[in-house]
Amino acid sequence: MLNQLVDFIEEDVSGSSTRKTYQVFVTGTNADTGVTSSLYHTVFDQNHRLQTANELFDLTVGLFSGSNTVADANTGVDINGKLLFTSQSLMMREKINLYRQHAQLLLGDANSQFYAPFGSTDSSNAIDEALFVNFKRLFVRDGIKRESFAMRFYQSASAAQQIEDAAIDTDGQDNIFRGTISGSVIFTDVGASANIERSQTGGSVGNIVNSSNTSENVGLLFYQQGIAIFDLAKITSGSQKMSGSISAVGNSNNSIVLGRAGQGNTDAKFIPDFLVSGSIDDIVKHIASVRFGSGSQTFLTFQNNTQINSTLIFCRATADEFNYSSNPTYTDSEGRILVIDESEQGIQKSFSFITTVGLYDANEELLAVAKLSRPIEKNDEKDLTMRVRLDF
């Protein structure tokens, strides 16, 4: 098993050029009143337009269909069985479907709910609002090593300032896309080796806890899948008031304002208001640009596992084997072995230097070639055994 340390820096996830969006969701054909959004964002290690850029991980959010956040925004079901929601909501069905997709992949049932700690059935441990971090295979390899995961996260955004006069220039006052420089915590899977859990479809699972209070479970880490799931109600200050402009349907400027006096919901909170009213683009952009920081420090790290399968093959050369060379310079024109000392002509016994070992199948077809680190002398007084290790 080979372990490699992987770390990600803040500016990779917070920067707009290193985070790629995919405008695949469209509310309508009217460009003036419609909204477009991604279903997830992909974070790169440099400008994603460069050919040398590597994909690090995907970020998205999801809502459990049976949560209070969904129930409070739900207004019924249409004749086709499609959930209906209030006009102040956006992309609710997509947020539910993203949660269901992860549940299907990791739990084997799209209707299942994630619990932290894993295996719990206590409603207080249910993850209703989830942040999904899907790490790329390039960095996860064969899995994430237990008790090596750590992530720094800001539980609150900048303190929202209520604006009494809507005519005042509020640039810099809103906190939807404005972070804070204090209040970060470390989330880690410390202690995961003591309680090894396993999902039938998702593989081995570990609980993510608050490092300052390890009894507080805040998420799950699926090691083989390379997917971390966080409970947004526990890793954020869900009751914090949110202020700023977000995407909206039906407005001439394609946006509405949260948290300002005289403009929309003046008491808007992160949960449920922002998660319900915001598009996935707005929510993920907030989390990426505000909650992870924006400097050059590491915000997330883990060690990956690479399983190396080795086969040992022992190749024996007995005393009477491989003492002669097929190299044409080994003999003279009369077929006699060339010697350094002419007085040894016809007396000196043949010998060779082994530099390469060939591996053949049952039909004597060459399959692989192994090179020795240095030539080894072989004569009729030596019985050699060479060990070849084949890694794959």
Side-chain angles (χ1 to χ4, degrees):
M1 190 71 72
L2 178 67
N3 298 121
Q4 178 186 24
L5 179 64
V6 179
D7 61 346
F8 307 108
I9 60 176
E10 295 170 339
E11 58 190 16
D12 283 342
V13 66
S14 63
S16 58
S17 63
T18 55
R19 197 176 66 253
K20 186 176 182 179
T21 60
Y22 309 86
Q23 303 299 316
V24 296
F25 172 84
V26 183
T27 59
T29 57
N30 191 330
D32 294 330
T33 58
V35 173
T36 60
S37 175
S38 309
L39 296 180
Y40 63 92
H41 291 191
T42 301
V43 177
F44 289 75
D45 61 354
Q46 54 186 303
N47 190 317
H48 63 79
R49 296 177 181 85
L50 299 176
Q51 290 184 340
T52 55
N54 295 308
E55 297 181 4
L56 304 178
F57 54 87
D58 294 330
L59 276 176
T60 191
V61 292
L63 301 176
F64 179 60
S65 58
S67 65
N68 290 332
T69 300
V70 172
D72 292 344
N74 179 237
T75 59
V77 182
D78 67 8
I79 58 174
N80 297 316
K82 185 167 62 176
L83 293 175
L84 302 175
F85 295 93
T86 62
S87 59
Q88 292 78 25
S89 66
L90 186 60
M91 299 183 71
M92 289 297 289
R93 285 186 289 271
E94 285 70 25
K95 296 168 187 173
I96 293 172
N97 286 337
L98 284 168
Y99 193 106
R100 287 171 53 84
Q101 288 175 13
H102 283 85
Q104 178 65 53
L105 172 66
L106 302 174
L107 303 178
D109 183 0
N111 297 316
S112 295
Q113 186 171 17
F114 294 103
Y115 286 82
F118 185 78
S120 172
T121 57
D122 192 327
S123 59
S124 63
N125 296 324
I127 301 178
D128 290 333
E129 302 87 13
L131 169 65
F132 298 104
V133 185
N134 297 263
F135 298 102
K136 296 299 183 178
R137 168 73 179 176
L138 176 64
F139 298 96
V140 173
R141 301 297 175 90
D142 293 322
I144 296 174
K145 182 182 178 182
R146 283 183 178 271
E147 297 198 31
S148 69
F149 179 90
M151 183 183 80
R152 188 173 71 250
F153 193 84
Y154 289 87
Q155 291 189 292
S156 63
S158 177
Q161 300 182 29
Q162 297 298 312
I163 307 302
E164 300 299 334
D165 187 352
I168 295 177
D169 181 8
T170 59
D171 183 35
Q173 304 295 327
D174 300 323
N175 67 350
I176 287 182
F177 302 120
R178 181 166 170 257
T180 180
I181 59 174
S182 62
S184 65
V185 296
I186 303 296
F187 300 127
T188 176
D189 68 332
V190 62
S193 297
N195 299 295
I196 299 179
E197 302 283 356
R198 186 172 183 83
S199 167
Q200 187 173 358
T201 58
S204 59
V205 190
N207 298 314
I208 300 177
V209 299
N210 188 333
S211 63
S212 61
N213 179 15
T214 56
S215 63
E216 180 186 359
N217 292 275
V218 299
L220 302 170
L221 182 59
F222 289 81
Y223 294 100
Q224 275 77 47
Q225 300 288 344
I227 299 177
I229 303 173
F230 295 93
D231 188 344
L232 283 170
K234 292 181 178 179
I235 68 172
T236 65
S237 300
S239 60
Q240 182 183 14
K241 290 186 178 181
M242 304 300 295
S243 173
S245 299
I246 61 174
S247 301
V249 181
N251 291 357
S252 58
N253 60 356
N254 288 39
S255 65
I256 60 172
V257 178
L258 290 178
R260 294 186 198 159
Q263 299 186 43
N265 183 2
T266 59
D267 195 38
K269 298 179 175 61
F270 184 85
I271 299 175
D273 304 290
F274 182 47
L275 291 184
V276 170
S277 299
S279 66
I280 292 178
D281 265 351
D282 284 337
I283 298 171
V284 174
K285 180 181 177 182
H286 165 80
I287 293 173
S289 61
V290 173
R291 305 294 179 153
F292 292 126
S294 58
S296 58
Q297 299 181 32
T298 296
F299 80 92
L300 192 152
T301 183
F302 60 80
Q303 291 185 46
N304 62 27
N305 290 326
T306 301
Q307 297 179 6
I308 300 177
N309 298 289
S310 296
T311 298
L312 294 179
I313 302 170
F314 294 90
C315 305
R316 184 185 179 191
T318 59
D320 59 345
E321 291 180 307
F322 305 105
N323 300 323
Y324 194 88
S325 175
S326 60
N327 192 316
T329 63
Y330 195 73
T331 59
D332 59 16
S333 59
E334 297 179 2
R336 296 180 301 176
I337 297 175
L338 291 173
V339 295
I340 298 174
D341 188 352
E342 292 185 0
S343 64
E344 295 292 323
Q345 186 71 45
I347 300 174
Q348 188 176 56
K349 294 182 180 180
S350 64
F351 65 93
S352 65
F353 284 90
I354 298 176
T355 60
T356 307
V357 176
L359 302 180
Y360 294 79
D361 64 8
N363 298 320
E364 297 188 0
E365 295 179 353
L366 182 63
L367 301 179
V369 173
K371 294 288 186 179
L372 276 66
S373 59
R374 59 181 178 83
I376 300 177
E377 183 182 353
K378 178 68 179 68
N379 56 47
D380 60 0
E381 295 180 356
K382 287 185 178 180
D383 190 333
L384 296 179
T385 300
M386 286 153 285
R387 188 183 73 167
V388 179
R389 190 180 76 178
L390 184 63
D391 294 339
F392 56 93

